[in-house]
């Protein structure tokens, strides 16, 4: 009899329960297949070791998945490493060994703090840092000069008072939306530089030479950082925003079709939940548009590409997604419409949803190719026609329905049936009504994309259409 | 004839067009009432001056409004100023005048970078900075020691290699959601400290004493920062989250009642748009919950208060808000239901909406008082009864309606009318159906609040109920 058999009740450490299923199976397999005669302590240590290694493997697997899903994240890591190594090398080869407080420090610090995932992010921080260091340092030197005329005690009061007033005012100004959006980092750096220079006990002439030195190192840091960021596999916030909007538009189209199909066919549609991405992407859109505004022309996008219009397109899409969410809820209502009515409306509803989805898909193609589409207006017309068809079908519903039920005989049991049917028709009516509402929202998206097309000067549609 | 009369076409500078309307009026008034004989240059300068002063006054008015609306923002500015002045004073009185690179710098920098609006934010950054400086510095000293055994060229390779590898790995790890959420700032500081120490040309024994000095100054910075932040009018992220959820819940209740009232009475309800706040508050909720997790016990909230459950309450509320948004859209549809049908359903629908709103308001009171409510289950029951009443009214709708239309006579014009009516009933049906859907969502909110009540150990309802 082996030790493993003697302690069948020894539980696996809790950590292993968070490991993926395949790992737990592997641990269990190993535990039962190895039949060595070992003591209790060894068994415990072994269990702990297995648990830890399982945990680590799970983390490694997660990281691997992350890297495979978006290799740009791995590249970003390597780019930061490279930029830092370059800065370090720069200072090794040109020794400025005057300590951590020396000039090299500012270059290293600049690279670490400024290097962001997107080019827009790095430019935002770099330009903010440069401008804030210049202005903060300049004002501080001025205040220093005034304070130096005022004797020991006066100097203390003036400098400390200036730090207090400027820091308070600039911190408060960070609550102003436009400053928050564009210059938040700059405000911090302004306070930092101003306070540092004010607190330092240097004389003004020393300060000026120090400021020059500091500025040149920061400039080196910013240039290395921006070069690595922009030249090696750059990630453009603008392109990312463009892709996000296109992808969300496709998801919206798929999930609209999916939801309606699910409702009428009763089968699960794999892409029906796509609208949830659209509901949750406001934050990403806002921050990408914000950073994209700092980026120079890249790819098909000019310097003053109307990024803010993308936000309006996004908002129109979200407004559409709210209705799809409501449709999704109604279609999963507990009251189910009679098959008869469903069958009557199924065809026209499916047509409307597919026509609406077609418009959305065409819009996403327009944005992708930055080309306006001739067939778009035709598609919108078809969508509107589909709405009219749904209305016609709705109007003919009572007749068809009454005929089938044989309502010519107006007896009591028929009346009961009719009442029941009105209640039953409720979720179906809701789905139909929301579907029409969605087509209005799709027109709203179309309008915003048309505006974008005008602002961004989309090419006229080519021979392709 | 005055100069002002001669140049009636001189446009106001464009800046003034962005000034508020009352200012533009004032500029125009002044320009026409003052009838001095002055030259062209003076007039231009005067216009420019007026425009600039109008712009500045507009900004000042905006800042004043911001300050009056939330005086905590002003206080925050003053607190930052105070903390910085304290640190500066500390170093003036105990002169460490070895320059900007000296120890004082780290204290100033720590205060500027760590001081956040909420206590949770400051603690998050402070603890992250302390931990990251310790570990980053420690590892760097270790690597330095190894490298120092390897000769000039070996040292360069080892140190630069270590900077590259560690910076890459830690940067990549920042994409892991849990690290992004809790340790993003720490990761930056870790890379920063490690690189700084590695780049510096110090020998290991020098490094250790330098690290001690740097740690003590950072500790001074963190303590001053946290003391000012926590002792003078502290802003707790947890309390803010609590208030946000309560306020949103009230807004949701008001806008639900408002939308339904708007639809049935046709009058504009002032609070009907409140649900839009709920739609857009995900970002604030997430970040507040994130920061609240760092805060110690404060007010009625214990150390391990279940802040993440608030997010679930928020999500349930948002899911409710999506339906209200759809209801809002449908109620503004161009097809308007017949007054007859509306009148028939108006009473029951208003009742259902007010009962649902009542539940939401009771839930918000529960959260506010941290007390469970006895009357809540009764209110939910009433809401469910109201749903049944709506269903009954729906079932009796055809009879009432047909009777009033006189459908006993089944002639052609009647049939047309009936068809028309079915189409007309569509938006009304949608409103009714969404209203029932909303009551289901309100139950969802209630469930999440009950869970919160269990997790946060709400007091049982007192005599008040």
């Amino acid at each position: 009899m082996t030790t493993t058999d003697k302690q069948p009740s020894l539980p696996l450490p809790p950590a292993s329960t968070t490991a993926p299923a395949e790992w737990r199976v592997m641990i269990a397999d190993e535990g039962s297949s190895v039949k060595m005669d070992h003591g209790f302590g060894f068994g415990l240590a072994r269990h702990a070791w297995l648990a830890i290694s399982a945990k680590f493997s799970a983390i490694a697997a997660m990281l691997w998945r992350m890297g495979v899903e978006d290799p740009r994240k791995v590249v970003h890591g390597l780019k930061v490493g490279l930029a830092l190594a370059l800065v370090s090398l720069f200072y090794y080869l040109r020794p400025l060994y005057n300590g951590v407080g020396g000039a090299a420090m500012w270059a290293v610090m600049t690279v670490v703090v400024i290097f962001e995932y997107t080019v827009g992010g790095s430019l935002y921080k770099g330009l903010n840092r440069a401008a804030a260091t210049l202005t903060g340092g300049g004002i501080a030197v001025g205040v220093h000069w005034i304070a130096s005329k005022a004797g020991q005690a006066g100097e203390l009061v003036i400098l400390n008072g200036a730090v207090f007033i400027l820091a308070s005012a600039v911190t408060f100004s960070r609550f102003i939306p436009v400053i928050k959006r564009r210059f938040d980092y700059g405000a911090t750096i302004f306070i930092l530089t101003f306070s540092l220079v004010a607190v330092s006990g240097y004389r003004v002439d020393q300060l000026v030479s120090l400021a020059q030195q500091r500025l040149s190192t920061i400039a080196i840091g910013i240039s290395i950082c921006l070069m690595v960021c922009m030249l090696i596999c750059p990630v453009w916030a603008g392109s990312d925003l463009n892709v996000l909007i296109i992808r969300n538009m496709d998801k919206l189209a798929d999930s609209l079709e999916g939801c309606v199909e699910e409702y009428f066919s009763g089968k699960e549609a794999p892409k029906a939940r796509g609208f949830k991405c659209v509901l949750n992407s406001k934050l990403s859109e806002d921050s990408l548009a914000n950073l994209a505004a700092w980026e120079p022309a890249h790819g098909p996008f000019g310097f003053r590409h109307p990024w803010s219009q993308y936000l309006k397109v996004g908002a129109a899409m979200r407004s559409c997604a709210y209705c799809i969410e409501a449709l999704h809820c109604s279609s999963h209502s507990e009251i189910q419409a009679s098959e008869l009515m469903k069958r009557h409306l199924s065809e026209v509803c499916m047509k409307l949803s597919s026509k609406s989805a077609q418009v959305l898909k065409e819009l996403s193609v327009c944005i992708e190719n930055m080309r306006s589409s001739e067939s778009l207006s035709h598609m919108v017309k078809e969508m509107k026609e589909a709405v009219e068809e749904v209305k016609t079908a709705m109007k003919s519903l009572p007749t068809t329905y009454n005929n089938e039920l044989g309502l010519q005989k107006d007896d009591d049991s028929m009346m009961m049936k009719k009442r029941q049917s009105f209640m039953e028709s409720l979720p179906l009516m809701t789905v139909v009504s929301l579907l029409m509402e969605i087509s209005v929202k799709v027109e709203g998206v179309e309008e915003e994309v048309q505006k974008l097309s005008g602002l961004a000067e989309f090419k006229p549609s080519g021979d392709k259409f």
Side-chain angles (χ1 to χ4, degrees), chain A residues 102-383:
Chain A
M105 199 196 85
W106 293 106
V108 171
M109 192 176 273
T110 304
V111 169
V112 173
V113 178
I114 280 180
F115 211 116
E116 288 282 318
Y117 185 53
T118 59
V119 175
S122 300
L123 277 169
Y124 154 66
K125 284 202 157 180
L127 296 178
N128 262 281
R129 192 179 182 97
T133 306
L134 272 174
T135 51
I139 294 177
V141 169
V143 171
H144 233 296
W145 181 79
I146 296 171
S148 65
K149 310 275 175 208
Q152 182 98 52
E155 191 178 354
L156 187 72
V157 172
I158 291 179
L159 283 179
N160 249 340
V163 166
F164 176 76
I165 291 169
L166 266 174
S168 302
V170 175
T171 304
F172 181 64
S173 80
R174 287 173 65 187
F175 289 110
I176 302 172
V178 64
I179 291 191
K180 175 105 205 134
R181 210 164 52 235
R182 299 251 182 236
F183 307 111
D184 194 52
Y185 184 66
T188 311
I189 296 298
F190 176 88
I191 301 177
L192 180 61
T193 310
F194 181 81
S195 313
L196 282 185
V197 177
V199 170
S200 78
Y202 283 108
R203 272 173 291 116
V204 173
D205 52 340
Q206 277 180 312
L207 269 182
V208 172
S209 78
L210 203 100
Q212 280 175 343
Q213 194 192 4
R214 205 193 138 180
L215 275 176
S216 69
T217 39
I218 288 187
I220 290 170
I222 293 182
S223 1
I224 290 183
C225 175
L226 288 183
M227 268 192 323
V228 173
C229 188
M230 291 171 77
L231 297 182
I232 305 175
C233 312
V235 176
W236 301 95
S239 311
D240 271 20
L241 177 60
N242 194 45
V243 169
L244 181 68
I245 293 283
I246 293 169
R247 207 180 290 161
N248 276 352
M249 190 104 54
D250 287 336
K251 278 185 190 162
L252 206 61
D254 288 337
S255 76
L256 172 57
E257 274 190 312
C259 281
V260 174
E261 204 187 306
E262 258 188 21
Y263 181 64
F264 285 105
S265 75
K267 275 179 244 153
E268 195 109 324
K271 288 175 175 175
R273 306 290 178 287
F275 65 88
K276 290 202 191 285
C277 292
V278 183
L279 291 178
N280 294 327
S281 66
K282 183 172 191 317
L283 173 61
S284 320
E285 285 169 19
D286 282 353
S287 82
L288 284 176
N290 220 349
L291 298 179
W294 293 90
E295 290 176 348
H298 59 277
F301 313 112
F303 174 55
R304 287 213 159 273
H305 197 72
W307 297 117
S308 54
Q309 183 61 30
Y310 282 77
L311 295 184
K312 290 188 186 157
V313 175
M317 277 159 60
R318 241 184 318 285
S319 155
C320 188
Y322 294 146
C323 284
I324 299 185
E325 153 93 25
L327 188 145
H328 183 75
C329 288
S330 313
S331 69
H332 287 75
S333 158
E334 46 188 32
I335 314 167
Q336 279 304 315
S338 69
E339 282 306 312
L340 196 65
M341 293 180 96
K342 259 185 162 179
R343 229 182 306 135
H344 179 76
L345 288 169
S346 149
E347 201 183 324
V348 280
C349 284
M350 302 268 266
K351 187 174 173 193
L352 175 54
S353 82
S354 100
K355 290 289 170 196
S356 306
Q358 218 171 6
V359 172
L360 285 175
K361 279 179 186 163
E362 183 66 20
L363 288 173
S364 106
V365 171
C366 282
I367 301 179
E368 194 166 7
N369 299 334
M370 298 192 71
R371 208 176 254 288
S372 43
S373 154
E374 262 176 25
S375 42
L376 188 61
S377 59
H378 179 64
M379 283 177 178
V380 173
K381 216 178 113 214
E382 277 189 342
M383 181 177 78

